[in-house]
């Protein structure tokens, strides 16, 4: 028996790690549609308030909270993928052990 086939899950883990790093750098491409809408709304509201000479604290807080939510979502995805990978390896190990010579 060869090794367990975890290439697809490993690829997804790598992709999600790249998304997580991009979110931490402040990039928008890994955000889902609702997160993008929230970011664009906060940016529009903040730019309007800057134009009027008012404080942008609320919009900055919204931007930070959306970023934290995206990090939490991606971290949960990575955790779930690691758990699934461990399950596949465990099932493979059990199948290998049960298919002994005797």
């Amino acid at each position: 028996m060869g090794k367990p086939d975890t290439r697809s899950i490993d690829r997804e883990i790598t992709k999600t790690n790249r998304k997580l790093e991009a979110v931490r750098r402040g990039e928008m491409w890994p955000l889902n549609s609702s997160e993008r809408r929230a970011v664009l709304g906060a940016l529009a509201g903040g730019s309007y308030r800057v134009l009027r000479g008012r404080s942008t604290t609320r919009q900055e807080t919204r931007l930070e909270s959306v970023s934290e939510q995206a990090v939490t979502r991606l971290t949960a995805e990575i955790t779930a993928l690691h758990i699934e990978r461990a399950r596949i390896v465990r099932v493979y190990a059990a199948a290998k052990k049960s298919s002994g010579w005797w």
Side-chain angles (χ1 to χ4, degrees):
M1 288 184 107
K3 295 181 180 177
D5 187 21
T6 59
R7 285 177 298 195
S8 61
I9 290 189
D10 290 338
R11 198 174 319 117
E12 287 296 320
I13 289 171
T14 305
K15 188 188 311 182
T16 309
N17 277 328
R18 276 192 310 234
K19 286 181 181 182
L20 182 61
E21 291 305 315
V23 167
R24 288 184 175 148
R25 284 191 307 265
E27 298 177 16
M28 284 196 50
W29 66 266
L31 301 179
N32 61 26
S33 61
S34 64
E35 292 165 345
R36 282 190 189 136
R37 259 194 321 272
V39 166
L40 292 176
L43 289 174
S47 61
Y48 177 79
R49 291 182 71 86
V50 164
L51 188 65
R52 298 291 179 204
R54 296 185 180 150
S55 172
T56 60
T57 306
R58 183 179 299 151
Q59 284 75 22
E60 290 172 0
T61 306
R62 279 181 62 199
L63 286 173
E64 290 173 8
S65 70
V66 168
S67 176
E68 289 172 6
Q69 289 171 0
V71 167
T72 303
R73 175 179 59 84
L74 291 170
T75 304
E77 281 184 32
I78 290 171
T79 303
L81 288 169
H82 278 294
I83 290 171
E84 181 63 18
R85 185 181 192 285
R87 186 192 66 78
I88 289 172
V89 170
R90 217 174 23 251
V91 166
Y92 171 79
K96 185 176 181 182
K97 187 175 182 180
S98 67
S99 67
W101 177 260
W102 302 101

